[in-house]
């Protein structure tokens, strides 16, 4: 939980991804932009979008965890993370 505010929706979302991880591997891409979290599974076959309102998980206190509730361990073979730059918005009048 990243918020101390009791008002925001704290529903946990999930989905099933129809892939054979032995043949195809399993991919996940997560995009986080302030209050929007988008998670893409199976190379975009499934997507979950959620709004979050963090009061605790900001800047150096923000973390991402990978876990499995399955019957066996998983092995992360590749992990890449980038920081997004601030938008450069120019207004033309």
């Amino acid at each position: 939980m990243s918020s101390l505010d009791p008002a925001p929706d704290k529903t946990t979302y999930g989905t099933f991804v129809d892939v054979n991880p032995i043949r195809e591997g399993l991919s996940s891409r997560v995009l986080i932009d302030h209050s929007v979290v988008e998670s893409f599974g199976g190379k975009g076959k499934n997507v979950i979008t959620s709004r979050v309102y963090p009061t605790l998980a900001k800047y150096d206190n923000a973390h991402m965890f990978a876990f499995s509730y399955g019957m066996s361990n998983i092995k992360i073979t590749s992990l890449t993370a980038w920081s997004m730059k601030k938008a450069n918005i120019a207004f033309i009048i």
Side-chain angles (χ1 to χ4, degrees):
M1 175 171 34
S2 64
S3 180
L4 296 175
D5 186 349
D9 178 20
K10 295 180 181 174
T11 304
T12 300
Y13 297 94
T15 186
F16 292 97
V17 181
D18 188 19
V19 297
N20 182 333
I22 295 171
R23 281 190 282 129
E24 303 174 52
L26 183 61
S27 68
S28 177
R29 176 174 288 192
V30 180
L31 305 176
I32 303 168
D33 184 14
H34 294 285
S35 67
V36 178
V37 177
E38 290 191 289
S39 301
F40 300 85
K43 298 180 181 174
K45 290 182 182 178
N46 291 66
V47 63
I48 297 173
T49 303
S50 182
R51 297 291 302 247
V52 297
Y53 302 94
T55 53
L56 296 176
K58 289 183 176 181
Y59 310 109
D60 290 341
N61 291 323
H63 305 282
M64 178 180 255
F65 299 93
F67 57 91
S68 170
Y69 289 126
M71 299 299 289
S72 60
N73 292 332
I74 60 171
K75 180 179 179 182
I76 298 175
T77 57
S78 174
L79 177 66
T80 306
W82 297 274
S83 292
M84 295 173 55
K85 293 182 180 179
K86 291 187 177 190
N88 185 5
I89 300 172
F91 293 98
I92 300 174
I93 300 177

